[in-house]
Amino acid sequence: MPKGQGKVIAQNRKANHEFFIEETFEAGLVLKGTEIKSIRAGRVNMKDSFARIERGEALLYNMHVATYEQGNQFNHEPTRTRKLLLHRKEIDKLIGETQQAGYALVPLKMYIKNGVAKILIGLGKGKKKFDKREDLKQKQAKRDIDRAIKDNMR
């Protein structure tokens, strides 16, 4: 199955508005027992999450995975830091590229692929305010063109 394909659990829709995504990487996640059950139920929020490379490891911060209702006292903490599973070559490449000014690792979407939870992270360069406005203008123009074509077809 290609990268980024599977049953999508959660998406970070704001990422494409805030960043120019230049490259994507598929990473596994190190999860605790009740986290995967909660993820399969779709109780994940990636809105304010981000990734960093620290001490040669890729870590995911602020991703909220709700506690599992049928969990007991061993339930997980919702916003704990989770380790991302990447190949050493990918981590080394990301270390070099994220040290450049304006680049960040942004989680794009989480999905289940072959029974395993995966996360698609993107190497993104932050957009300036005028870039965001330009994207909104282009999106509105495309909507207007599509609407005009649809009206002409009737």
Side-chain angles (χ1 to χ4, degrees):
M1 200 177 288
K3 177 171 65 171
Q5 302 241 329
K7 181 185 174 207
V8 176
I9 303 297
Q11 282 188 323
N12 188 354
R13 297 180 189 274
K14 215 171 181 188
N16 286 323
H17 180 69
E18 299 287 331
F19 296 94
F20 292 113
I21 305 299
E22 295 182 1
E23 195 172 354
T24 59
F25 299 91
E26 183 179 68
L29 287 161
V30 176
L31 299 171
K32 300 253 173 145
T34 55
E35 283 179 318
I36 188 64
K37 292 178 180 246
S38 191
I39 287 171
R40 285 196 175 141
R43 299 177 43 88
V44 179
N45 187 350
M46 300 174 64
K47 187 176 180 182
D48 295 325
S49 61
F50 61 96
R52 280 195 185 141
I53 308 288
E54 293 178 359
R55 297 182 304 274
E57 293 182 338
L59 300 173
L60 182 65
Y61 294 92
N62 287 347
M63 185 176 76
H64 187 274
V65 178
T67 56
Y68 187 59
E69 287 95 18
Q70 284 82 31
N72 54 13
Q73 71 218 27
F74 302 112
N75 226 337
H76 64 276
E77 183 185 336
T79 57
R80 75 177 185 87
T81 303
R82 294 167 179 88
K83 184 177 176 183
L84 295 174
L85 302 172
L86 290 165
H87 292 284
R88 173 58 47 200
K89 287 182 181 179
E90 292 174 331
I91 292 174
D92 292 341
K93 182 177 182 178
L94 288 173
I95 287 172
E97 293 189 2
T98 55
Q99 288 177 349
Q100 297 175 18
Y103 282 90
L105 288 176
V106 185
L108 301 174
K109 68 179 174 180
M110 175 179 266
Y111 50 93
I112 302 285
K113 179 177 173 182
N114 299 331
V116 179
K118 300 279 186 181
I119 191 157
L120 189 69
I121 58 172
L123 180 66
K125 184 168 177 64
K127 287 184 181 179
K128 305 281 189 235
K129 200 171 206 173
F130 62 86
D131 291 328
K132 294 177 191 177
R133 280 194 221 116
E134 188 64 34
D135 282 350
L136 290 175
K137 285 179 191 174
Q138 288 176 356
K139 191 182 278 188
Q140 185 62 39
K142 185 179 183 318
R143 256 192 232 130
D144 292 341
I145 291 169
D146 290 343
R147 192 175 299 130
I149 290 171
K150 186 176 178 183
D151 288 342
N152 285 341
M153 293 290 216
R154 289 183 183 179

